[in-house]
Amino acid sequence: LGVKEALERNHDRALKHYLISAKMGHESSLDLIKDMFMGGTATKEQYADALKGYQDAVEEMKSHDRDIAKRYSKALEEESRRSGLGM
């Protein structure tokens, strides 16, 4: 929705959509808000708000179990490559 609004030159509405998704951990939305800040269509405060929300979301998604699952998945992929099965 943010991209659609930006294409229609509704920068305020685009920013609102990007803020929502950045605060949910969507890195591309954070990058778009940074671009808007650098281009003068978003304020420093809006970018800071998006960055903090993004960092909070990323931190919240971290967990010990998730880290173990990621290491296990990598180990399976490496074993698969070594054995020639290729995942």
Side-chain angles (χ1 to χ4, degrees), residues 23-81:
K23 289 178 179 183
M24 294 177 70
H26 192 257
E27 188 174 6
S28 296
S29 293
L30 179 64
D31 292 340
L32 290 166
I33 295 170
K34 180 182 177 184
D35 292 344
M36 291 178 80
F37 168 60
M38 300 299 279
T41 55
T43 66
K44 182 178 182 178
E45 291 77 21
Q46 289 168 320
Y47 177 57
D49 184 36
L51 183 58
K52 182 178 182 332
Y54 171 80
Q55 290 170 334
D56 290 347
V58 169
E59 185 63 31
E60 188 175 306
M61 286 187 273
K62 290 182 181 177
S63 76
H64 178 67
D65 291 341
R66 188 180 302 252
D67 293 340
I68 290 172
K70 186 183 262 186
R71 286 194 301 269
Y72 180 73
S73 177
K74 277 188 172 183
L76 285 177
E77 287 177 18
E78 289 173 16
E79 181 61 32
S80 178
R81 273 189 230 113

